[in-house]
Amino acid sequence: MHAHTLVTRTRESRLREARLQLLGTGEVADGLVDDSLRRSWERSRGFGLVPAGRVQGAPHASAAQLMRALDRQRELASHAQPMMEFLHEQMRDTGSMVILADAQGTLLRAMGDAGFASRAQRVALRPGASWHEQWRGTNAIGTALTDGVPVEVRGGEHYLERNGFLTCTAAPIADPCGRVLGVLDISGDRRSYHRHTLGLVRLAARTIEQKLFDTRHATNLRLRLHAQPEGIGSATEGLLALSDDGWLIGADATALAMLGLSHADMGASTIERVLQLDMAMLGDWCRRPAAAPRAVRRHDGSVLWARVEAGRGVLVARRGGSAPRPQAAAPADALEQLDTGDSVMQAAIDRARRVMDKPISLLLLGESGVGKEVFAKAVHASGARGGGPFVAVNCAALPETLIEAELFGYRPGAFTGAGRNGAPGRIREADGGTLLLDEIGDMPLGLQTRLLRVLQDRQVTPLGGGKPVAVDFRLVCATHRNLRAEMEKGRFREDLYYRLNGLTLQLPPLRERQDKLQMMAGMLRDILPDRELQIAPDLASAMSRYRWPGNLRQLNHALRTACALLDDSDTVVDWRHLPDDLVDDLRGAATMREAIDETVDLRAQSERTVKQAVHASGGNLSEAARCLGISRNTLYRKLREFDPR
């Protein structure tokens, strides 16, 4: 759909006349403003909003509610963050801000100029506030959500007069199924309006949609389509995803338009029905990728240009068999190998790449077993120091009496039991490469002081004295502890924390990752590289839902045990190959999940019934309570439960 611009400069006099009519009679004559703006004003009036009035009862999420909303939209937020940073750089010092909202109009994130942000605060243009039309009337965020297209709302076009100092431009962001996930918005002073802002926001939203599509279909064969070969890889390309046997399972709006399809065709049509292609041809393209896009024909003979991308294989056994999957290209480096489709990990990998060969230390946070050392090794191997040594020291595994000697080295006879030749120490061993200090939060305070000195001077002095030795290494630290809390308790030096904290990356626990199946497939390939193993569908489903308290370490151990129990003729990992205690946990978790889902279902049904009764009674709570057969106090309590503020 095309964007609509709600007014132009030449219509300002008509806008003034329209607002006079809106304030006077509530009705606006035809022709004064764009029909889409008039419809939005009518909706706003229908919500009971008064143009000159104040916002009454608009919801505002608490800090905890906002965190939960962000968690629900973690995939959207992680893909939107780089684009928000890009837009912020383009709009810096223009008196504006970049905003991400969810599908309900709740503002999730905002970044922008401090001067404008303080003005925006006065009209609740800040994270946690709802800018749905129901509460704020006509505004770019709420109206873009309602109309489903990019929108500009400038000055007096806002339904509420108090928002008239704003100019706002927003574009909805849809998931690969066409469902609106949220809105990207640029808001600023109405005097700072620029006619290119709409195009910038649309481009950013489109880029986020493409990232979401690639993440959702990371394991599938994908086609990138365009009417011109030069358009492949641009924001105007169409995206198509295929199953192993050639069924269309995903398409973005651009591809649907190119092929004359709708989302209803997904799962109901094959690639052969829409293009003169078959899976054998696509498989050959994957095995022999071409640098330039290839011409493909629709069945009417018209030409499109295409590039094919093989997905990362998810080896889950399929009932009734499956077509052979084209082989995916080998990962470019160790970091790409870790990118198996989870959006949070993708964001962490992308940020790590940006500082990989710069003198910026990395601090990796995450629960035990999430793969912090694996991530550190990948950063090392993918960077300019990849040919140098990678030295890992677990600060929690060494006794306090030995860790100093282990790190800094010692001269012969430096202490009782010291080797006759001394030792260079792990820091010197890392010269020219990378030093990982794992569980840095467990390092004794005295050693923290010595480490800080080494980081400042880039020299290390061994125990027992001697001449300082210059060292050059990339530092990566990792911990499962909250170092800020440790600082407040006096157990971690503040100056060392800020020296280590060049870039902090939070690695997600396995239970929150979206790529469990891909990771299991990769682990099986690593454990038994000469056998193509699959996972039974019901087992794969149970393993995907399990919380994995031991994270990747526990999963890897379980799959190694399963592989050890396979017969030579087995090609499918099944329940009988797992340890009994894990089988019990997986089946117990499935039973608990079913009970939770049933509880959530009942609560959702109760909430819908109550809200429908309130709506049907026109907001008369006494009448709604009578219709529901409950007391008014019970109705008040339920409404508070459903919408706590």
Side-chain angles (χ1 to χ4, degrees), residues 237-374:
E237 69 179 358
L239 301 174
L240 199 64
L242 308 178
S243 68
D244 291 348
D245 44 2
W247 290 88
L248 305 185
I249 56 174
D252 67 355
T254 305
L256 293 177
M258 285 180 183
L259 301 174
L261 301 173
S262 70
H263 283 292
D265 293 302
M266 298 303 102
S269 186
T270 62
I271 186 65
E272 291 92 343
R273 293 177 188 172
V274 295
L275 292 171
Q276 295 180 28
L277 280 175
D278 56 38
M279 290 303 290
M281 186 184 299
L282 289 175
D284 184 60
W285 287 6
C286 288
R287 286 188 293 272
R288 295 184 296 176
R294 302 172 189 260
V296 296
R297 291 187 180 275
R298 302 182 183 95
H299 286 292
D300 65 3
S302 59
V303 174
L304 288 175
W305 294 87
R307 176 175 292 148
V308 65
E309 294 180 352
R312 306 181 188 94
V314 183
L315 301 180
V316 177
R318 302 173 190 272
R319 293 180 179 88
S322 63
R325 174 184 292 279
Q327 292 298 309
D333 58 24
L335 272 175
E336 185 175 324
Q337 193 171 357
L338 296 183
D339 182 3
T340 50
D342 179 76
S343 58
V344 175
M345 276 297 290
Q346 285 178 338
I349 290 167
D350 179 63
R351 299 186 76 193
R353 283 194 188 282
R354 298 185 188 190
V355 302
M356 189 163 57
D357 294 322
K358 297 176 182 176
I360 297 173
S361 57
L362 276 181
L363 178 58
L364 305 179
L365 305 180
E367 299 174 7
S368 294
V370 298
K372 297 188 287 293
E373 182 171 347
V374 173

Side-chain angles (χ1 to χ4, degrees), residues 603 633 635-645:
R603 188 182 188 278
N633 286 340
L635 177 58
Y636 285 144
R637 177 172 56 78
K638 286 187 174 293
L639 290 172
R640 285 195 298 271
E641 289 174 2
F642 297 147
D643 193 13
R645 290 198 294 272

Side-chain angles (χ1 to χ4, degrees), residues 510-511 516-517 520 535-551 554-559 561-562 573-596:
L510 180 56
R511 64 181 175 274
K516 296 186 189 72
L517 292 177
M520 286 186 267
I535 301 174
D538 55 339
L539 176 58
S541 177
M543 294 177 79
S544 295
R545 295 194 303 268
Y546 184 51
R547 289 186 61 79
W548 297 105
N551 289 299
Q554 180 190 9
L555 174 61
N556 191 270
H557 177 72
L559 292 178
T561 301
V573 175
D574 214 331
W575 292 91
R576 61 192 174 90
H577 300 119
L578 296 183
D580 291 344
D581 58 341
L582 181 57
V583 170
D584 291 342
D585 288 346
L586 290 174
R587 287 183 167 149
T591 303
M592 183 179 296
R593 179 60 178 261
E594 288 171 6
I596 291 171

Side-chain angles (χ1 to χ4, degrees), residues 100-111:
L100 178 69
D102 66 14
Q104 288 70 49
T106 300
L107 309 195
L108 299 177
R109 286 182 175 165
M111 57 180 67

Side-chain angles (χ1 to χ4, degrees), residues 7-67:
V7 79
T8 63
R9 292 175 184 270
T10 58
R11 301 182 186 174
E12 288 181 356
S13 61
R14 294 181 181 177
L15 177 62
R16 285 193 294 270
E17 175 62 26
R19 288 206 66 86
L20 287 174
Q21 293 182 10
L22 179 69
L23 292 170
T25 65
E27 301 287 341
V28 177
D30 292 345
L32 284 177
V33 294
D34 189 279
D35 286 345
S36 53
L37 174 59
R38 188 158 59 87
R39 288 194 299 269
S40 178
W41 282 359
E42 289 171 354
R43 290 194 299 267
S44 303
R45 189 180 68 224
F47 289 130
L49 299 175
V50 179
R54 300 187 64 81
V55 176
Q56 300 293 331
H60 196 293
S62 66
Q65 290 169 334
L66 181 58
M67 288 300 294

Side-chain angles (χ1 to χ4, degrees), residues 129-151:
S130 174
W131 276 71
H132 192 281
E133 277 191 341
Q134 175 183 358
W135 304 109
R136 311 283 171 182
T138 305
N139 71 90
I141 292 170
T143 304
L145 282 172
T146 301
D147 288 352
V149 295
V151 172

